Amino acid sequence: MHWGSVLEEGGAGMVRPYFRTHGRTRPTRDLPVETLVSTTPRGRAVVRGSSQEESEICVLCRTSQSVAEVAARRRIPLGVARVLLSDLADRGLVAVHTAKIGAGNRPSLDLMKRILHGLSTL
């Protein structure tokens, strides 16, 4: 099996997390789980150099999604989602929206309810 093929874990057909991120474990941006991301006009266009995973995230984020929702909907670890979203943001394919802060320097209750609802529908 060569590196360009899908690596399987225990025959389950799962791609190992480090394979998806080209071995990187840290995003270039701070992306808390409640951070919202949405696809930019550039991200809606077919962009060369995007992997299938990146393209699918761009399609998913045509409606704003939290980092947690992207991870859950794509069934990828949160750390992998952060690295991929950070890469997409660095390339201008997704926009990162700063969450509204509620009392005590925490995300707003409305945002947390939205995230909870989105995760519970999965």
Side-chain angles (χ1 to χ4, degrees):
M1 177 179 291
H2 65 75
W3 288 105
S5 63
V6 174
L7 298 177
E8 293 185 344
E9 186 174 288
M14 285 185 53
V15 176
R16 295 182 188 227
Y18 65 83
F19 183 77
R20 293 174 190 244
T21 62
H22 305 284
R24 291 170 298 115
T25 58
R26 298 188 190 271
T28 59
R29 298 166 180 252
D30 182 31
L31 296 173
V33 294
E34 71 274 8
T35 302
L36 295 176
V37 293
S38 62
T39 305
T40 63
R42 182 173 179 215
R44 290 176 186 266
V46 176
V47 178
R48 291 184 182 191
S50 294
S51 68
Q52 181 177 348
E53 185 88 53
E54 291 172 330
S55 297
E56 290 172 359
I57 290 172
C58 284
V59 168
L60 174 64
C61 292
R62 287 184 176 173
T63 57
S64 291
Q65 304 287 318
S66 70
V67 172
E69 288 171 313
V70 171
R73 292 180 193 280
R74 296 296 310 136
R75 300 179 191 268
I76 56 179
L78 188 56
V80 171
R82 284 181 169 136
V83 171
L84 294 173
L85 287 167
S86 181
D87 289 351
L88 291 169
D90 290 346
R91 291 172 39 213
L93 303 179
V94 297
V96 176
H97 307 283
T98 306
K100 294 179 182 174
I101 301 298
N105 203 24
R106 295 183 180 178
S108 71
L109 185 57
D110 289 337
L111 176 60
M112 296 308 290
K113 285 180 181 178
R114 181 182 179 277
I115 292 171
L116 182 60
H117 175 70
L119 292 175
S120 67
T121 60
L122 295 178

